[in-house]
Amino acid sequence: MHVPDYFRKGRLLSVRSVAGQVFLLQLVVVIVLVAATVAALVVQARRQGTQAARNEVLVAGEVFANSPGIVKALDGPDPTAALQPRAEAARKQSGLDNIVVATTNGIRYTHRDPAQIGKHYVGPYKQAVHGKAFTHIVTDPLGLSVYAAVPVFRPDGSVAGIVSPEITVNNVNEEAERQLPVLFGAAGGALVLAAGGSALVSGRLRRQTRGLGPIEMTRMYEHHDAVLHAVREGVLIIGGDGRLLLANDEARRLLDLPADAEQRRITDLGLPDATAELLSSGRTVTDEVHPAGERLLAVNLRSVESEGTTGSVATLRDTTELRDLAGRAHVARERLRLLYDAGVRIGSTLDVVRTAEELAEVAVPRFADFVTVELLDPVLRGEEPDGASTEMRRTALRGIRDDQPLFPVGELIRFVPASPVATGVSTGRAVLEPDLAASDGWRRQNPERARSVLDYGIHSLISVPLQARGVVLGMANFWRSENGPFEEEHVSFAEELAARAAVCIDNARRFTREHTTAVTLQRSLLPSELPEQSAVEAAFRYLPAQAGVGGDWFDVIPLPGARVALVVGDVVGHGLHAAATMGRLRTAVHNFSTLDLSPDELLGHLDELVTRIDQEHAAEGSDTPLTGATCLYAIYDPTSGQATIARAGHLGPALIDPGGSVTFPEVPVSPPLGLGAGLPVETAELHLPADTRLALYTDGLIENRDRDLDTGLDLLRQALAHPGRTPEQTCQAVIEALLPARPSDDIALLVARARRLDPGQVAEWDVADDPTAVAPTRAACARRLESWGLDHIAFTTELIVSELVTNALRYGTAPIRLRLLHEPNSLICEVSDSSSTSPHLRRAAATDEGGRGLFLVAQYAQRWGTRYTARGKVIWTEQSLHPDATEPPAATGEDLLDQWDDAGF
């Protein structure tokens, strides 16, 4: 039987006791600290004394050398007679040991010992002869002496002589010696306190063990242990840190605990998540049922706190006879899953109506048979509600059948004061109507429709206010017809579901309120031609205003993974300043794009850049800030057809499907650049089928003095609504339809037609989290390259795939995925995993075991890099297939060995 250590502490300050050992340790620590402090004081006193002596002799020499009449005395007929009295007087007054005045040849004129006058000066005085004062330290048997040599300058700048004060540094340890009594006194006091504390600890241990000695405590422990393991109820003792301290035999059997379960965390024992969370929570529960394999366990948990320590004691009973509780546990789990799904699905867009529809879709049929959502009209317009109102518009309706007799979507409903909705609005709490047939207030709303609803079979209702920031935005109504009536236990769940939806609806309302009506422009220095890429076919138009060069701009930027970035932006103002500013922003966008940032991150960095530029201009007194610059940034992936779009104060894009239908998709708008103040930038995800055209433009195209924004958008829709046009033809048609006779603002237009990568040119593999998966993955790549006719780069590609997959297995986290993209002029290899750790290219030392694979990848790939995703990162390489590309030749075995040797393998 193991007896804890603290049961064996009996004697007060015995060397074998913990208190005695602690006291000895404290004694050693105090002695070491005292010795270290004395040494530090001595070293510090010596250093400070030497430096003070240097300063003193140098100042004394400077004062004496610059005293009145010193030059005249040196050049006089008898310098000694004139200077010796003055030197002695100065020496005695200053407390120096000696003041020597000598010629530039080192012959003394003054000295403390008159016998030394006229003799040659011994010491390094040559530097002072050249006009530079200095100090010199000499250590001799008498102690430490500090000399100074200070030149005496004539009015013409020549050196007339040398003044050399001297001082002996004595008693440098006096300061330390003065502090030693205090130090030793403090050390003695610390030892006294340590002894007293150790005695108190020992006495406290005796009191805690009730005065029992080790033998008695051991016997008591054995008796308790026998009882604990004899009972047929599981017992767990859990520490405050979540570790299992003790488990009896029954608990091990019920929970199937491993042999080494004790001293391990509850969450590491392989228990079901809910059970582990409960046992480690420390909260108080009674007969809470949890499944454990085929058993249902009733868990009782109580927290224990004693003498500053916390923990909990859990008891477990096998309650297979309580199968009805299992049903309740299943319902609770389903509700938790429903709340989780609601958090994921509700608020996927920043549209108020769609968010209300998502709430209804989530709740039907898992919680209710029908769900209706009514919102206040100001909320639908994106405005702040001006107060509680019972007049609402039905915004969403979802049910298990479509023939229900409830009010249709779009209906403006004025709820009577006695109705559940009006009661919920006034109280701010959910209202339960378990039996609608007995609810007079609900039937008063519309007696005829109420009869139809009851005849249809709807019998129960919960009305919950949608509240955010204490403001009622609307109501959510949950109806049942097929399932049993709602009960009190359902109300709290309905409130939780509605609270999550209300926050999303309020966010959508805020973003709906934001719009772009006053975007001014500036931009020049546009690209002369679009870069080569295969994701889109693009064309552009740029027309400056009659006032001069402005700040509208656009760009097409190829990105890794066959993707492309489409950019348009505006800068306020006209003239050279606007052109230079546009150049800075365009360069910044290019630089940020090389980091492969997402649209929201890129606009966030661009916002910070504009803010810094504005601060620089303000510091320089410039009155031309950039605040008001706007930008729209989109990334299109031809492999999935997904476009991710974000905008900062800019107009949204136009989307033309292959049939010629034009829409203006809702893209969340953020403040203009320089005004973001650290606010997050929202993005929109659009799916672009092949041949879909995306039009990006600035407001100079659709708005001018004679045409408002809505009219311009209608004209743009008409100009774009023609199927089969190329981007070049589309640009020409839009300019002809919308260009005013006298443009007052710049116009930038970029039209891109989406291409899709043939699925046959994309190969993807899921890589098992096992080092043995590298070989079959490499073989699969070789077979795919052969089918693509790329045998000439197969060896190089296999090397790249091996290194990237191996790195992902070694340093990344699952899931790991490999993708090959066969573009017309390049082969792209991508390996993704869930880790955010990025590899770095380095030259490995001869003794390093790793660090060479990425070096070889960089040698054989034309380009490589890393991009981050929402769930990890992607390491990509690009190999050129263009016949004129300057790429390393396909590697052979001998080439690889040579590269291996050069890399230091």
Side-chain angles (χ1 to χ4, degrees):
M1 180 65 62
H2 172 70
V3 180
D5 289 341
Y6 59 82
F7 290 150
R8 306 184 187 275
K9 300 166 189 169
R11 285 169 289 180
L12 208 57
L13 287 179
S14 171
V15 177
R16 295 183 179 181
S17 68
V18 173
Q21 294 173 359
V22 170
F23 175 75
L24 290 178
L25 177 61
Q26 292 172 337
L27 176 61
V28 172
V29 171
V30 170
I31 292 174
V32 172
L33 289 177
V34 169
T37 304
V38 170
L41 288 173
V42 171
V43 173
Q44 182 180 6
R46 181 176 295 275
R47 184 186 300 111
Q48 291 177 346
T50 303
Q51 185 61 38
R54 283 178 177 270
N55 296 336
E56 184 175 354
V57 296
L58 191 60
V59 170
E62 292 285 354
V63 172
F64 196 90
N66 291 284
S67 62
I70 187 69
V71 175
K72 182 178 180 181
L74 284 170
D75 293 336
D78 191 358
T80 298
L83 295 175
Q84 176 70 4
R86 295 177 61 179
E88 283 299 292
R91 179 182 67 82
K92 295 176 180 179
Q93 185 176 1
S94 61
L96 298 174
D97 293 321
N98 196 8
I99 297 180
V100 176
V101 180
T103 66
T104 56
N105 294 323
I107 304 301
R108 298 187 182 96
Y109 284 152
T110 67
H111 195 278
R112 179 179 57 186
D113 183 7
Q116 300 295 326
I117 297 175
K119 294 183 179 181
H120 196 276
Y121 177 81
V122 179
Y125 64 91
K126 295 294 186 181
Q127 190 175 356
V129 173
H130 294 90
K132 184 174 182 180
F134 68 96
T135 60
H136 180 61
I137 300 175
V138 177
T139 303
D140 51 36
L142 298 179
L144 188 68
S145 297
V146 181
Y147 296 84
V150 180
V152 180
F153 294 98
R154 295 187 180 94
D156 61 355
S158 62
V159 177
I162 301 169
V163 176
S164 178
E166 174 189 356
I167 188 172
T168 301
V169 182
N170 294 319
N171 300 322
V172 296
N173 295 328
E174 290 179 356
E175 181 64 25
E177 293 173 357
R178 286 195 298 270
Q179 299 186 37
L180 287 179
V182 178
L183 179 62
F184 287 127
L191 290 176
V192 172
L193 290 176
S198 299
L200 290 175
V201 169
S202 181
R204 182 177 179 84
L205 289 175
R206 293 286 292 180
R207 289 193 300 273
Q208 288 180 335
T209 58
R210 310 289 185 179
L212 298 178
I215 296 177
E216 293 84 357
M217 292 300 300
T218 300
R219 185 178 297 114
M220 180 182 294
Y221 182 86
E222 291 173 347
H223 291 167
H224 289 176
D225 186 75
V227 173
L228 184 66
H229 290 282
V231 298
R232 301 306 299 167
E233 182 168 313
V235 178
L236 300 174
I237 299 178
I238 304 164
D241 59 353
R243 295 184 183 274
L244 178 62
L245 302 181
L246 186 144
N248 69 349
D249 296 338
E250 183 69 6
R252 292 178 180 275
R253 183 184 69 84
L254 294 176
L255 297 177
D256 194 20
L257 296 177
D260 60 345
E262 292 180 350
Q263 300 306 320
R264 292 173 58 183
R265 290 189 178 277
I266 290 294
T267 54
D268 297 337
L269 298 178
L271 302 178
D273 293 342
T275 305
E277 187 276 332
L278 171 64
L279 294 177
S280 59
S281 67
R283 55 191 175 91
T284 300
V285 297
T286 300
D287 286 339
E288 185 169 314
V289 178
H290 283 260
E294 297 180 355
R295 300 185 182 92
L296 285 177
L297 302 181
V299 181
N300 294 273
L301 188 65
R302 294 291 183 273
S303 60
V304 178
E305 183 173 355
S306 175
E307 300 297 332
T309 61
T310 60
S312 55
V313 176
T315 61
L316 313 170
R317 296 197 316 276
D318 189 355
T319 59
T320 52
E321 70 278 6
L322 301 178
R323 291 294 181 181
D324 59 319
L325 293 179
R328 296 172 58 185
H330 175 73
V331 171
R333 288 197 303 273
E334 287 300 318
R335 290 179 183 174
L336 288 175
R337 289 196 185 99
L338 180 54
L339 287 177
Y340 173 79
D341 292 342
V344 173
R345 294 175 56 184
I346 298 176
S348 62
T349 67
L350 292 174
D351 180 80
V352 173
V353 175
R354 180 56 192 156
T355 304
E357 292 173 348
E358 289 170 343
L359 167 61
E361 292 170 357
V362 165
V364 174
R366 296 163 65 180
F367 179 67
D369 297 322
F370 298 92
V371 174
T372 58
V373 180
E374 292 81 43
L375 296 178
L376 298 171
D377 272 347
V379 175
L380 292 171
R381 296 192 299 267
E383 301 173 0
E384 183 84 19
D386 54 4
S389 174
T390 59
E391 182 177 285
M392 302 181 187
R393 190 172 301 276
R394 178 147 293 174
T395 307
L397 189 156
R398 185 72 59 177
I400 57 176
R401 295 165 57 185
D402 296 332
D403 58 346
Q404 33 69 33
L406 300 171
F407 284 112
V409 172
E411 184 83 11
L412 183 64
I413 307 173
R414 296 175 177 85
F415 294 98
V416 299
S419 68
V421 170
T423 304
V425 171
S426 61
T427 62
R429 302 293 301 274
V431 178
L432 170 64
E433 293 290 352
D435 185 7
L436 289 176
S439 175
D440 293 336
W442 173 75
R443 286 189 284 111
R444 288 178 191 173
Q445 177 66 42
N446 190 320
E448 183 177 351
R449 187 175 293 273
R451 284 193 298 271
S452 299
V453 170
L454 294 174
D455 293 342
Y456 185 79
I458 298 176
H459 55 76
S460 186
L461 166 68
I462 297 179
S463 291
V464 187
L466 295 170
Q467 298 183 88
R469 301 172 291 105
V471 177
V472 176
L473 307 176
M475 294 291 292
N477 300 298
F478 303 92
W479 313 77
R480 278 190 176 178
S481 60
E482 304 293 334
N483 296 309
F486 286 116
E487 300 176 2
E488 285 292 340
E489 64 179 12
H490 298 110
V491 174
S492 60
F493 177 79
E495 289 178 331
E496 176 68 19
L497 193 61
R500 298 191 180 199
V503 173
C504 297
I505 290 174
D506 190 51
N507 289 338
R509 177 195 63 79
R510 288 177 164 183
F511 281 98
T512 300
R513 182 184 57 193
E514 298 177 6
H515 56 83
T516 55
T517 57
V519 181
T520 55
L521 313 172
Q522 180 179 352
R523 171 74 177 93
S524 70
L525 300 177
L526 297 172
S528 57
E529 59 182 10
L530 299 180
E532 180 182 355
Q533 45 79 38
S534 58
V536 297
E537 176 188 359
F540 66 91
R541 290 291 186 277
Y542 173 74
L543 300 173
Q546 289 186 345
V549 176
D552 290 16
W553 59 287
F554 66 92
D555 223 328
V556 177
I557 306 172
L559 297 177
R563 299 168 302 139
V564 67
L566 307 174
V567 194
V568 292
D570 298 344
V571 179
V572 294
H574 292 86
L576 294 179
H577 176 73
T581 301
M582 177 280 302
R584 297 180 70 175
L585 293 185
R586 183 180 170 222
T587 300
V589 170
H590 268 273
N591 292 337
F592 291 143
S593 296
T594 60
L595 301 176
D596 210 0
L597 300 177
S598 61
D600 53 335
E601 289 181 293
L602 186 141
L603 290 183
H605 287 299
L606 203 61
D607 177 73
E608 294 176 359
L609 174 64
V610 171
T611 300
R612 288 197 300 270
I613 294 175
D614 282 345
Q615 292 172 351
E616 293 172 1
H617 287 176
E620 295 170 358
S622 173
D623 57 353
T624 55
L626 304 186
T627 303
T630 66
C631 183
L632 184 148
Y633 189 90
I635 295 179
Y636 172 69
D637 187 352
T639 60
S640 63
Q642 291 296 118
T644 304
I645 305 177
R647 55 180 176 142
H650 203 83
L651 293 171
L655 200 64
I656 309 100
D657 65 21
S661 177
V662 180
T663 59
F664 295 91
E666 188 68 26
V667 178
V669 59
S670 297
L673 301 176
L675 297 177
L679 295 176
V681 178
E682 299 289 336
T683 61
E685 297 283 344
L686 304 179
H687 180 73
L688 306 184
D691 293 329
T692 299
R693 286 169 290 166
L694 191 66
L696 312 180
Y697 49 89
T698 57
D699 59 0
L701 176 68
I702 59 175
E703 187 178 21
N704 55 40
R705 298 173 187 151
D706 304 322
R707 184 171 62 208
D708 60 24
L709 182 64
D710 292 335
T711 302
L713 289 175
D714 288 336
L715 292 175
L716 178 61
R717 185 193 303 272
Q718 297 171 17
L720 294 174
H722 295 278
R725 283 180 175 175
T726 65
E728 183 65 28
Q729 293 170 340
T730 302
C731 286
Q732 187 62 34
V734 169
I735 293 299
E736 290 176 355
L738 280 83
L739 182 65
R742 297 176 59 85
S744 59
D745 208 344
D746 305 296
I747 295 174
L749 173 66
L750 177 63
V751 177
R753 182 166 63 184
R755 295 170 175 163
R756 293 293 299 273
L757 203 60
D758 189 342
Q761 302 304 106
V762 180
E764 295 179 285
W765 296 273
D766 290 318
V767 181
D769 191 10
D770 186 351
T772 61
V774 177
T777 302
R778 184 173 58 240
C781 291
R783 291 191 295 271
R784 180 53 62 96
L785 293 175
E786 181 181 0
S787 67
W788 286 343
L790 301 179
D791 294 345
H792 59 289
I793 64 169
F795 191 87
T796 303
T797 306
E798 287 182 56
L799 169 64
I800 292 173
V801 168
S802 296
E803 294 300 337
L804 295 187
V805 172
T806 301
N807 278 347
L809 290 171
R810 179 174 296 177
Y811 305 111
T813 57
I816 299 171
R817 191 167 182 82
L818 168 65
R819 184 170 74 163
L820 295 181
L821 304 177
H822 181 199
E823 285 200 291
N825 296 320
S826 65
L827 176 68
I828 298 171
C829 174
E830 297 179 340
V831 176
S832 63
D833 66 86
S834 298
S835 170
S836 60
T837 303
S838 176
H840 297 282
L841 182 64
R842 65 184 179 91
R843 182 175 292 277
T847 57
D848 288 351
E849 294 183 0
R852 300 173 177 85
L854 199 58
F855 180 84
L856 291 178
V857 170
Q859 295 296 309
Y860 283 100
Q862 186 182 36
R863 295 190 303 154
W864 75 278
T866 305
R867 73 172 182 267
Y868 295 95
T869 65
R871 294 180 176 85
K873 68 175 183 300
V874 176
I875 310 297
W876 59 268
T877 64
E878 182 175 323
Q879 299 166 260
S880 177
L881 304 179
H882 199 283
D884 298 329
T886 58
E887 183 183 8
T892 65
E894 294 180 358
D895 296 332
L896 179 58
L897 289 176
D898 292 338
Q899 290 283 352
W900 194 277
D901 291 337
D902 293 340
F905 281 71

